[in-house]
Amino acid sequence: MRITRTVTGLVAVSAVALALVPPAPAPAAPIPAATVTTGKPAPRTTQKPKIARAVLERYAKADRSDVWVRLAARRDVAPLKKIKNRRARGQEVVDELKATARGSQGAVKALLDARGLKYETFWATNAIYVRSAPEAVVRSITRMAEVEEIRAPRTYVVPKPAATRPSSVTPQSVEWGLSNIKADQVWAQNGRRGQGIVVANVDTGVQYDHPALVRQYRGDNGDGAFSHGYNWYDPTGTCTEPGPCDGAGHGTHTMGTMAGDDGQGNQIGVAPGAKWIAAKGCATENCSDVDLLLASQWMLAPTDASGNNPDVSKRPDIVNNSWGSQPSNDPLMEDVQLAWAASGIMGVWANGNEGPSCQTSGAPGSRIINYSVGAYDGENRIASFSSRGPGQDGEIKPNISAPGVNIRSSVPGSGYAVLSGTSMATPHVAGAIALLWSARPEYAHDIAGTRTLLDLTAIDTASAQCGGTAADNPVYGEGRLDALALVTAGEKGTSGLTGTVTDAATGQVVPGAEVGITGPLNRTLTVGTDGKYSATLLAGDYQVTAKAFGYQPRAQAVTVTKDTDLTLDIALVPTERVNLTGTVTDGSGTGRALAAKITAGDGNGHAWSTTTDPATGAYTLPLLPSSSYTLTYTSTETGYDPATRQLTLGETGQTLDVKLTVNLACTASGYQVTRDGPTQPFDGTRRPKGWTVTNVDPGIPGLSYKPGWESTDAGRRGNHTGGDGGFAIVDSLNSGKGHIQDTYLTSPSFNLTGRANATLEFVEDLQAAVNQTTSVDLSIDGGRTWQTVWTAKGFPGAPGPATRVIPIPQAAGRTNVTYRLHYEGQRSGWWAVDNAFIGDRTCTAVNP
């Protein structure tokens, strides 16, 4: 039972391979001046086809094919992990999964039986493997509501092991990988070597009578006879003898690293006191998904030698999986992996040998639910071949790293060889878990608790190659395996430490504060926007220090006890401040006080803000002395442009008054627009005098480039620009898919002599589309040269009524000024324009 106490104040897959390797050797467009509304296209939804493309490709070449039929029914067995009795827990998982399969596979089996087809049913994952199925039968199956998908089978190549040193190499007193993770220190200090724990592998098999493995084989009767039932399973059918065999050598090597010891100096196994069983998921040179699934399903309820009388009590505690895919996040057999966890079986997975690039993790290790392992060498350096993450959905992969370079272990022929790969690293972790569960039985079959202890006790090893932090990164994962720390942590136990960091003066949270925790574990946490922090710690004494920019650091010693969560809230006292004061007022004519927000940033990510008194415009902003700031003043009333100021504060306060100016749209209260110049209303159904339309022919056969800009409303849009009567429009959506628009509406020439505030202005209704571009071009030499003064592409558009105001100071005083409206698009909305003005435009106070 966990107790909570509170302290207040501060105080897979296209190719699966065994994880084994040889020895290591444009300029931005102008911003629109007017405000427009936004919109997004509705997302498209598609339904996944039931028949995978790979299946259809097979039928394109042959009349029949083996296929997987996956049923939709799933049973969530995760809650069954709460069952205390191990046998009952395992039996309930198996019973529930079998019941789900029986209840949903009946119709498919009946159809297959009626057609005389051979098939094999599975219950650990709800699926049926059908052999030599005609396409017509498969299409009939897809019409069944209970069928989720039809998938093609896969065969995975297994590379042969390669020795990195001669097999006759002189054994060390304890192999380097074991001493590196301090397994030998666990043996010496705790006297536990894995006793009472059963490890297993899904691999190429095992030489069961190897001198380093025979005594640990659960099928060894101790009198020279062997019982292979419940201890060995060969779905591949490649072993000619009744007991375990290994034609590739890989499985014998990984099993040796978990549990091997011949008693004559070959101490190769992390947990030589454990017993082992095995299932041959891979034939000599390949793994089929059928064999892998059969082997993995068997682990939940091993059977006798004839494949009958399953017994969940004979299932292993830990299963090593030194195989995986090329870089992938494919959920390979994830139903089975979830069932293992629910049953209390901990699977450990190789992360792959596709390094040194990032995002090279292979499934199933890359999946979030699985615990995967990277490899490092005798100098604690990550192996070049070790796959890097991240994995599924950005998850840090590998989860942990272990020795995987030049690992000496057992091989068929009763010999030894030195191999490298994440295949070799993974059984180090599996063996370490066996040591933990043997020494601390309360963690046995507690998958989440075990993963937490592995993560907490891993030796942090920094690498910035693929992101992450020194404590957790996609190269080493949580760090390097430490079996002694793991077992010691199991003895001490864990607890949670949580809290909130606040401002002692205001009580508000302090986002971004840093909380440092030192003790049996060292952690540095950054609180979120809610001011909260959380850590899982080993029991023991800690120093907790909180600090944040602009606050005095505070620290306190705390004691974390086993299974007793602790809440430690931290109130930080602000450092000395000086006040910046002033007023914010209208600077364009009225001089009145403004309601505004003031924000001060120091350029290092720290910001402070306040607001003015709306009645007086006065503000007070406490800031740190002897610092430089960029201040932003933003009116909370509409119609004003923001202003920025640079300021360096000394040791005393300062005053800074700021005047804000009315923006170009002239929408501020107390102001009106004064225009001096011509306005074109576009009334009538004919183009106004002096205005021209130019349509650009794209030269694409079958596409018309007309009508372009029109003076009639062929699409019946109506005038929604904010004007009235007629309007100019280019309606690409109405012209249809047989048209493409690249069209200009060009004004006559204007004389802007004496104009000091030259401006273009028009009202508009711009219906946006992703492939639409609009722009306004200006010429001050009668159309010989053009300059784009405003442009927009795609969304958000400007649904009417909307006003576009474009300053053109370069046209002031010119005698031959013209402008044009340019639209490009195909079936991409429309652009309607009215009341086009050019001339002087000023914003003046009504009652200054």
Side-chain angles (χ1 to χ4, degrees), residues 12-13 15-19 156-157 321-326 332 349-350 352 362-365:
V13 183
V16 168
L18 295 187
Y156 308 116
V157 177
N321 300 272
S322 286
W323 56 274
S325 73
Q326 299 293 322
L332 179 66
W349 304 85

Side-chain angles (χ1 to χ4, degrees), residues 732 768-773 793-795 823-829:
S732 176
V770 69
N771 61 336
Q772 163 192 287
T773 301
K793 183 174 183 178
F795 293 88
Y823 182 96
E824 293 179 272
Q826 182 183 28
R827 299 191 70 187
S828 53

Side-chain angles (χ1 to χ4, degrees), residues 34-232:
T35 301
V36 293
T37 58
T38 62
K40 294 183 179 180
R44 295 182 178 180
T45 58
T46 57
Q47 184 174 2
K48 180 181 177 181
K50 280 191 175 183
I51 304 180
R53 176 178 296 181
V55 176
L56 298 176
E57 290 173 351
R58 282 171 169 248
Y59 282 124
K61 299 176 182 178
D63 296 332
R64 290 174 175 263
S65 173
D66 290 2
V67 296
W68 280 101
V69 179
R70 287 178 53 83
L71 285 300
R74 297 285 187 276
R75 175 66 170 95
D76 180 11
V77 293
L80 302 180
K81 66 183 180 182
K82 297 179 181 178
I83 299 175
K84 299 297 184 183
N85 181 274
R86 182 173 183 264
R87 184 186 186 107
R89 173 180 176 179
Q91 193 64 56
E92 189 70 13
V93 169
V94 171
D95 289 347
E96 290 287 347
L97 292 173
K98 286 184 174 181
T100 301
R102 282 195 306 269
S104 58
Q105 295 179 4
V108 177
K109 290 165 59 178
L111 175 60
L112 297 174
D113 289 337
R115 301 300 176 90
L117 296 175
K118 295 181 179 180
Y119 60 88
E120 189 157 11
T121 61
F122 292 80
W123 47 266
T125 184
N126 193 3
I128 302 173
Y129 187 75
V130 187
R131 302 182 187 276
S132 191
E135 182 178 1
V137 173
V138 169
R139 292 195 177 277
S140 296
I141 293 173
T142 62
R143 290 192 286 271
M144 297 180 177
E146 56 265 57
V147 173
E148 180 177 81
E149 65 175 339
I150 309 293
R151 297 186 62 178
R154 301 168 183 176
T155 300
Y156 308 116
V157 177
V158 178
K160 293 182 179 180
T164 60
R165 292 193 303 198
S167 59
S168 59
V169 64
T170 303
Q172 303 175 35
S173 57
V174 175
E175 291 300 325
W176 83 263
L178 276 59
S179 58
N180 177 275
I181 67 170
K182 304 173 188 173
D184 53 340
Q185 295 184 47
V186 175
W187 306 339
Q189 295 182 25
N190 296 83
R192 305 300 295 179
R193 300 164 69 93
Q195 296 93 325
I197 303 301
V198 177
V199 297
N201 65 9
V202 173
D203 214 307
T204 61
V206 182
Q207 182 197 340
Y208 71 93
D209 58 356
H210 192 290
L213 296 173
V214 63
R215 293 178 304 152
Q216 294 90 314
Y217 177 41
R218 195 173 68 179
D220 182 6
N221 297 332
D223 57 0
F226 296 91
S227 300
H228 300 303
Y230 300 103
N231 302 314
W232 166 246

Side-chain angles (χ1 to χ4, degrees), residues 625-644:
S626 303
S627 299
S628 296
Y629 299 93
T630 297
L631 291 126
T632 302
Y633 294 79
T634 306
S635 173
T636 54
E637 302 179 29
T638 59
Y640 291 87
D641 289 327
T644 60

Side-chain angles (χ1 to χ4, degrees), residues 283-294:
T284 301
E285 295 181 352
N286 60 74
C287 310
S288 73
D289 51 7
V290 176
D291 293 338
L292 287 169
L293 186 51
L294 285 168

Side-chain angles (χ1 to χ4, degrees), residues 308-438:
N308 298 314
N309 303 309
D311 187 346
V312 297
S313 69
K314 300 293 198 304
R315 70 189 188 278
D317 299 293
I318 303 154
V319 181
N320 186 83
N321 300 272
S322 286
W323 56 274
S325 73
Q326 299 293 322
S328 168
N329 289 316
D330 192 339
L332 179 66
M333 299 189 298
E334 196 142 300
D335 295 342
V336 183
Q337 293 143 29
L338 290 168
W340 278 6
S343 184
I345 297 172
M346 180 146 186
V348 190
W349 304 85
N351 199 50
N353 297 332
E354 301 299 322
S357 297
C358 305
Q359 295 184 318
T360 50
S361 297
S366 64
R367 302 293 291 180
I368 294 172
I369 68 168
N370 294 323
Y371 202 81
S372 69
V373 185
Y376 60 83
D377 64 18
E379 301 298 322
N380 295 330
R381 298 171 303 195
I382 199 69
S384 61
F385 58 77
S386 185
S387 288
R388 277 73 159 163
Q392 177 194 2
D393 298 335
E395 183 79 357
I396 295 292
K397 291 290 178 173
N399 295 85
I400 200 169
S401 294
V405 177
N406 294 334
I407 303 301
R408 180 177 179 272
S409 188
S410 47
V411 291
S414 299
Y416 300 86
V418 177
L419 305 176
S420 297
T422 54
S423 280
M424 285 63 253
T426 307
H428 282 84
V429 176
I433 296 169
L435 293 180
L436 170 67
W437 288 9
S438 177

